[in-house]
Amino acid sequence: MKFRTSLLALAGTACISPATLQQSAQSPAAPNILFIIADDLGYYDLSYTGSRFYETPHIDRLASLSLEFTQGYATSPVSSPSRASVMTGQFTPRHGITDWIGAASGAEWRKQGRHTRLLPPEYKHHLCPETITLADALQQAGYKTFFSGKWHLGGQGFWPQDHGFDINVGGWNSGSPIGGYFDPYENPMLQNRKPGENLSMRLADETVSFLQNHHPNITGQPFFAFLSFYAVHGPLQTTREKWQKYREKAEQMGIASFGFEMEFFLPARTVQDHPLYAGLLEAMDEAVGHVLESLQQLGLADNTIIVFTSDQGGVSSGDAFATSNLPFRQGKGSTFEGGLRVPFFMKIPGLTRAGSKTDVPATAADFYPTLLDIIGADLKPEQHADGISLLPVIRGEQMNERPLFWHYPHYSNQGGRPSSVIRLGDWKLIHLYETNTQELYNLRTDIGERRDLAAMYPERVEAMKTQLLDYLMEVGALFPEKDPLHDPEAESLHLQNIATRRLQHLEQSRMQFLQPGFDPGNNWWGSQVN
């Protein structure tokens, strides 16, 4: 069986042939690369992908000019592992960063007060020094490399400048904007500039400055610019004007009486109507527009590859309970589709046709070999051992079926369960470590993963489980262990409290955000900078 793909018009490859694109990077004609990654952005958080509440005109336009992978995936439901996969071309158990860096593991996990059955395993807390990152590989191919924004792949000594980036603005230990989304930022790699300045636009400004100062016509060197937004990760902050705009929009659309439903460990948001989140997202969209407009003004748009994606699905549970990923189930922190399926666009001059789509499953680990393949650089299969080049798909060719693997042996802050996953064709098998059982879903007929078919297809379950566990053993994956101090009664009381008091509080908070007189009561509200 082969995956079906959308046909790319042959006319789309006639402007610039693949041979022209695949010149040595030392040539001034070598394509530049702009890689844009959002944080916690769900697949359905864009107007382009179906949101009726959020407004993202600039990202929508980029998507309309790109090839969209409608089944594009992050490699983890949380940020650090997923971002490490972009940099390494590996699935998470191979590079060893399986949870967000800073998460508790082992006996320390008990301090979270969740009373869970298992203790999550240890994990690596930084990219290994010997890793040849995507940035390293592009440096070797003659590219000037630039990083702006969220890193969260290790402490000092393991920052972007230590992993192949010539310039680093804003990338350090933290996975969230410590000072919030308005200057002052409290970021040692980002100097404060103007009180009230918006963080997303500042990162875009820094990227534009890099494009201006390192224009290939000046340097004779192509660039790799990696714009890594902190948005739309919490805290949810926006201007009064944007809050007011989306509060009124929610009212006009009709405010639902209830906005959450209980999942395994936490309630999950079922409606998109959070005005602060919408404003935060719109500010990021405006920042994307600033960079895209600057590319055009600088005459770089016709020779720049643009990638846009997210590091995991939207936050429907935990953190700020910000968005709904329906019809996908759950969100960030979960190995259901809501936590893994993300926006995944590529605009490649001369190769991709505007508005084209493919349903070939692809992951963040594929960006590394794909970009090297497009520019004609040598692939590094020992490094990007799990990712594959998507260039054949981009050219409109079919691709043989391959298994995709996820390994998240942790409890997430968003209610996710320790699990590992294999997807093969339309079938997705989730192995749950708490119960040592499997769930089986057919994604073509059940995108919401509500009908567990494991009992109907025991032979398929056994075959996929074996393939999954064989891969995990091959790469040396670590697994959770039973907690000998587990107290079932304490866990039951904890979950009862979540399902009653916590759920009620969330519904009340949701309504408060939508009240005409809402005031967040902190100093970012006074910012009038968009």
Side-chain angles (χ1 to χ4, degrees), residues 484-504:
L485 303 183
H486 174 242
D487 183 343
E489 184 176 351
E491 182 180 25
S492 178
L493 289 173
H494 170 73
L495 293 177
Q496 287 177 26
N497 182 62
I498 295 293
T500 53
R501 295 181 183 177
R502 185 73 181 276
L503 180 57
Q504 182 181 19

Side-chain angles (χ1 to χ4, degrees), residues 78-97:
V78 294
S79 60
S80 297
S82 181
R83 290 167 180 267
S85 292
V86 172
M87 290 296 158
T88 65
Q90 298 174 4
F91 294 149
T92 61
R94 192 185 296 272
H95 61 61
I97 302 175

Side-chain angles (χ1 to χ4, degrees), residues 26-248:
Q26 300 299 333
S27 166
N32 309 298
I33 302 170
L34 170 64
F35 196 115
I36 305 173
I37 185 168
D39 193 10
D40 294 357
L41 182 72
Y43 180 83
Y44 289 109
D45 281 351
L46 304 176
S47 309
Y48 183 83
T49 52
S51 176
R52 295 175 54 243
F53 184 63
Y54 309 131
E55 298 179 16
T56 53
H58 301 290
I59 299 173
D60 294 344
R61 174 162 172 74
L62 173 60
S64 72
L65 297 173
S66 303
L67 167 64
E68 179 191 0
F69 285 78
T70 60
Q71 299 189 53
Y73 286 97
T75 60
S76 172
V78 294
S79 60
S80 297
S82 181
R83 290 167 180 267
S85 292
V86 172
M87 290 296 158
T88 65
Q90 298 174 4
F91 294 149
T92 61
R94 192 185 296 272
H95 61 61
I97 302 175
T98 54
D99 206 355
W100 62 274
I101 294 174
S105 57
E108 286 294 307
W109 172 250
R110 294 194 189 105
K111 296 179 181 179
Q112 303 300 309
R114 298 267 295 274
H115 308 287
T116 56
R117 304 184 203 180
L118 304 178
L119 295 177
E122 299 297 330
Y123 59 92
K124 291 183 179 177
H125 286 240
H126 55 74
L127 283 178
C128 291
E130 62 270 20
T131 299
I132 302 173
T133 66
L134 173 59
D136 287 321
L138 290 171
Q139 264 189 344
Q140 294 169 11
Y143 278 70
K144 184 72 172 181
T145 57
F146 168 85
F147 184 92
S148 178
K150 173 173 174 173
W151 180 243
H152 205 194
L153 291 176
Q156 194 162 7
F158 301 96
W159 287 355
Q161 62 267 36
D162 304 302
H163 283 291
F165 287 98
D166 297 311
I167 302 170
N168 169 30
V169 180
W172 66 303
N173 310 22
S174 180
S176 62
I178 298 300
Y181 281 97
F182 297 97
D183 184 323
Y185 303 119
E186 298 182 25
N187 183 325
M189 296 303 297
L190 185 66
Q191 292 184 353
N192 297 325
R193 188 168 71 175
K194 180 182 178 182
E197 176 187 53
N198 179 271
L199 176 58
S200 295
M201 189 58 76
R202 171 64 182 279
L203 296 176
D205 253 356
E206 295 288 350
T207 303
V208 169
S209 294
F210 168 77
L211 300 180
Q212 293 169 336
N213 295 329
H214 298 277
H215 195 295
N217 289 352
I218 299 173
T219 64
Q221 187 179 20
F223 62 75
F224 172 51
F226 197 96
L227 174 52
S228 177
F229 287 109
Y230 283 94
V232 285
H233 192 291
L236 303 188
Q237 298 177 345
T238 189
T239 60
R240 180 181 294 274
E241 289 76 14
K242 282 185 168 57
W243 164 79
Q244 180 71 18
K245 169 186 174 179
Y246 286 103
R247 192 209 70 78
E248 293 176 354

Side-chain angles (χ1 to χ4, degrees), residues 245-265:
K245 169 186 174 179
Y246 286 103
R247 192 209 70 78
E248 293 176 354
K249 185 172 184 178
E251 192 170 62
Q252 293 166 2
M253 292 176 64
I255 298 174
S257 299
F258 300 96
F260 296 89
E261 66 179 11
M262 192 64 194
E263 271 286 358
F264 298 100
F265 296 125

